[in-house]
């Protein structure tokens, strides 16, 4: 099973949002749920991916090639597909 995640590429000013995003990614991975998201390494998107990856989860990023070339792509993903 895979779940699509859509959230911000910024963390905002309230640290609990980033903590919650990381915890969500970790919990999803612990329950065997793979994630599909925008592929970034920054903000809440990056936190969700980091949490899932830290728990051994599968994370697929979908990102336009132009953004990936600007070094916004997460380099530790299971898979990164250009859109």
């Amino acid at each position: 099973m895979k779940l699509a995640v859509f959230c911000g590429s910024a963390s905002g000013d309230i640290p609990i949002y980033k903590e919650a995003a990381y915890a969500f990614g970790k919990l999803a991975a612990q329950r065997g749920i793979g994630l599909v998201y925008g592929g970034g390494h920054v903000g809440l998107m990056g936190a969700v991916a980091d949490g899932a990856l830290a728990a051994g989860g599968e994370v697929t990023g979908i990102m336009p090639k132009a953004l990936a070339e600007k070094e916004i792509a997460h380099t530790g993903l299971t898979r990164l597909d250009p859109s």
Side-chain angles (χ1 to χ4, degrees), residues 7-52:
C7 55
S9 60
S11 296
D13 295 331
I14 303 172
I16 195 153
Y17 292 144
K18 188 172 182 178
E19 294 166 14
Y22 184 93
F24 174 79
K26 186 175 178 181
L27 180 63
Q30 289 170 339
R31 294 191 177 189
I33 300 170
L35 299 179
V36 179
Y37 82 116
H41 71 82
V42 295
L44 299 179
M45 289 193 301
V48 170
D50 288 342

Side-chain angles (χ1 to χ4, degrees), residues 2-3 13 15 21-22 25-27 31 35 38 42-43 48 54 56 62-63 68-71 76 79 83:
K2 292 186 182 181
L3 180 67
D13 295 331
Y22 184 93
K26 186 175 178 181
L27 180 63
R31 294 191 177 189
L35 299 179
V42 295
V48 170
I62 310 291
M63 177 177 278
E69 290 172 352
K70 290 185 177 188
E71 300 178 9
R79 180 176 172 171
S83 62

Side-chain angles (χ1 to χ4, degrees), residues 51-73:
L53 293 167
E58 180 181 323
V59 182
T60 301
I62 310 291
M63 177 177 278
K65 188 176 180 182
L67 288 178
E69 290 172 352
K70 290 185 177 188
E71 300 178 9
I72 295 173

